[in-house]
Amino acid sequence: MARDQKVDRTEICILLDESDLLVTDEAHAGFPGRQSPLMRVLRQGREFGIMVALGINVL
Amino acid sequence: MSQSWRDQLIAQIDLCRPGPRDKGLLALRALAANGRLSEAMCRFHYLRLLLHPPRCADSLAGFTEPPSLEEWRSAVVTEAPIGVLTEVEGAEFGPHLSDRVEHWAVAGTTGFGKTVTLRGLALALDALGRALLVFELKRDCADFVQRLARCVRVRAGQGAWFGLQAPAGVADRDWAMVLAAILAARCGLKHATTSLARMLTWLVEQLNRAAVRGRLWPDVQLLCDVAVAAPSAKFAAKEDYERSSIQVLDGVAHALGPFARTFRGIDLEQFLAQGTSVVVDLSTLEPPAQWVVIDVLLS
């Protein structure tokens, strides 16, 4: 992402099981623009070929 | 697609209730009202609207049959199958890798199979040569080193060191702001961000006065020690902010423990760029420290 290298295929997958506490509203609240690093990767990562797979116990 | 499952779906369609495709629904209602289409057929067509919005959202042309098995199959085709869909006979289930990038949320109750699904996904991606970055919070990926084609596993505090150094191509000042925001946010002291960033920037300058290979970045304990020793209000506009910074740093340094006692940690990007998967075992850390590590590595 830092190199702004855009692709249209999956190159890297980030796997994060048990990620309930990282996807709550409170988890983003302290960051500028309420955007935690995980949220940023979820929003912008697709352009850079980054897939994210999260395991969540409760929606 | 099994007949019974399709029939169940169609039976659930309520033509009187507004849905996500209101324009199509209104047209179908009009056709049903003037007797040109039976209610059963309207249900079929509305299901099709819901399933194929790009092709059918604004047109009712060609609506003579419900979605065919082939249409279903084309919507779920995958080059990395990890299972089969029970709803669609013969349709495999898995990620789409070559033509798009997608995110997955595997949600369910305990015992639902979330971890098994994610493990299946990892093996399928590995078989297609994709690199994985796995954050292991519960020690359930210990066998990945043997099962994945190319994989390294780093374990917090056991031969792996977590450094705060900036990624290649990112300016020190920018990275200092990113780190400061993470540390402050994860400790719930947002107003400490600026003083932490100033402290980081100052320390990086001090550590790199002499020419060294690569840049050295302070560990959290050093940051904490400097914050305690620094004259009042050297880095923060208010004394309260200074105290907040010390509180943040002390908490994070304690939580990370020896794992973060380094001025330069492992560069995981090098592994991933070479197609080697990386499992980061954070099971020995407590949640706030786990989050800090995940945030820094994702940034």
Side-chain angles (χ1 to χ4, degrees), chain A residues 1-3 7-19 21-22 26-34 36-38 40-59, chain B residues 95-110 114-115 118-119 121-122 125 129-135 137-138 140 144 168 170 181-182 185-186 190 269 272 287 291 294-296 298-299:
Chain A
M1 282 171 75
R3 285 189 294 275
V7 292
D8 60 357
R9 62 196 285 274
T10 306
E11 304 227 317
I12 289 175
C13 177
I14 296 169
L15 245 72
L16 188 49
D17 200 1
E18 307 291 341
S19 57
L21 295 173
L22 280 165
E26 297 78 43
H28 315 299
F31 288 91
R34 297 180 66 83
S36 67
L38 177 60
R40 208 168 76 88
V41 173
L42 284 170
R43 286 213 173 136
Q44 298 172 8
R46 292 174 62 237
E47 290 181 70
F48 302 98
I50 301 172
M51 172 185 185
V52 179
L54 302 172
I56 305 164
N57 205 43
V58 180
L59 267 181
Chain B
H96 304 86
L97 301 174
S98 58
D99 62 343
R100 70 189 100 153
V101 184
E102 57 192 13
H103 297 318
W104 276 28
V106 183
T109 52
T110 305
K114 301 182 293 296
T115 302
L118 288 174
R119 284 175 63 87
L121 174 65
L125 291 168
R130 302 305 201 273
L132 299 155
L133 173 59
V134 182
F135 292 107
L137 305 183
K138 275 201 336 187
D140 43 13
F144 273 15
V170 179
I182 291 170
R186 289 301 177 209
K190 199 174 172 181
E269 201 184 338
L272 295 170
W291 300 342
I294 291 170
D295 286 339
V296 172
L298 289 183
S299 295

Side-chain angles (χ1 to χ4, degrees), chain B residues 223-242:
Chain B
L223 268 171
C224 187
D225 294 343
V226 168
V228 172
S232 184
K234 176 171 172 59
F235 300 109
K238 293 180 183 173
E239 215 170 298
D240 283 355
Y241 293 179
E242 198 88 54

Side-chain angles (χ1 to χ4, degrees), chain B:
Chain B
M1 179 175 57
S2 93
Q3 188 71 32
S4 60
W5 184 82
R6 192 185 69 195
D7 290 345
Q8 279 175 24
L9 249 188
I10 289 167
Q12 286 168 17
I13 289 172
D14 180 0
L15 289 173
C16 297
R17 198 173 57 190
R21 296 281 161 204
D22 288 347
K23 193 174 169 183
L25 179 58
L26 286 174
L28 286 169
R29 269 194 216 150
L31 288 171
N34 63 26
R36 290 175 60 194
L37 212 57
S38 70
E39 191 178 320
M41 227 34 206
C42 284
R43 288 172 189 271
F44 275 142
H45 293 332
Y46 190 54
L47 174 62
R48 204 169 183 192
L49 274 177
L50 294 172
L51 293 172
H52 300 278
R55 279 192 303 178
C56 306
D58 300 318
S59 165
L60 294 178
F63 281 178
T64 53
E65 291 293 327
S68 67
L69 178 57
E70 288 314 307
E71 284 176 303
W72 275 96
R73 279 192 178 139
S74 67
V76 294
V77 70
T78 174
E79 58 273 64
I82 63 171
V84 293
L85 288 176
T86 54
E87 295 90 344
V88 188
E89 271 173 32
E92 289 173 323
F93 168 69
H96 304 86
L97 301 174
S98 58
D99 62 343
R100 70 189 100 153
V101 184
E102 57 192 13
H103 297 318
W104 276 28
V106 183
T109 52
T110 305
F112 175 83
K114 301 182 293 296
T115 302
V116 173
T117 305
L118 288 174
R119 284 175 63 87
L121 174 65
L123 295 173
L125 291 168
D126 178 68
L128 289 171
R130 302 305 201 273
L132 299 155
L133 173 59
V134 182
F135 292 107
E136 187 182 6
L137 305 183
K138 275 201 336 187
R139 292 214 73 194
D140 43 13
C141 305
D143 60 334
F144 273 15
V145 176
Q146 286 86 38
R147 299 193 70 176
L148 302 184
R150 294 172 68 184
C151 179
V152 292
R153 186 164 178 262
V154 293
R155 185 149 196 234
Q158 292 193 358
W161 308 109
F162 170 66
L164 298 179
Q165 76 264 26
V170 179
D172 288 351
R173 197 171 288 273
D174 295 340
W175 186 241
M177 273 309 290
V178 171
L179 288 178
I182 291 170
L183 293 171
R186 289 301 177 209
C187 296
L189 292 166
K190 199 174 172 181
H191 56 266
T193 306
T194 309
S195 51
L196 283 173
R198 281 184 192 150
M199 203 184 305
L200 269 164
T201 309
W202 180 81
L203 258 172
V204 172
E205 279 171 20
Q206 302 306 314
L207 284 172
N208 293 283
R209 280 177 172 242
V212 290
R213 281 170 56 205
R215 303 281 282 169
L216 295 175
W217 277 71
D219 72 341
V220 184
Q221 187 60 57
L222 178 61
L223 268 171
C224 187
D225 294 343
V226 168
V228 172
S232 184
K234 176 171 172 59
F235 300 109
K238 293 180 183 173
E239 215 170 298
D240 283 355
Y241 293 179
E242 198 88 54
R243 275 200 294 273
S244 296
S245 300
I246 294 169
Q247 199 179 328
V248 166
L249 294 169
D250 190 43
V252 176
H254 183 73
L256 286 171
F259 181 42
R261 299 278 160 78
T262 180
F263 293 161
R264 195 187 292 160
I266 296 172
D267 186 359
L268 298 183
E269 201 184 338
Q270 278 182 2
F271 290 105
L272 295 170
Q274 291 165 5
T276 301
S277 297
V278 179
V279 177
V280 185
D281 177 1
L282 301 174
S283 60
T284 53
L285 301 178
E286 293 301 312
Q290 288 176 339
W291 300 342
V292 168
V293 176
I294 291 170
D295 286 339
V296 172
L297 293 179
L298 289 183
S299 295

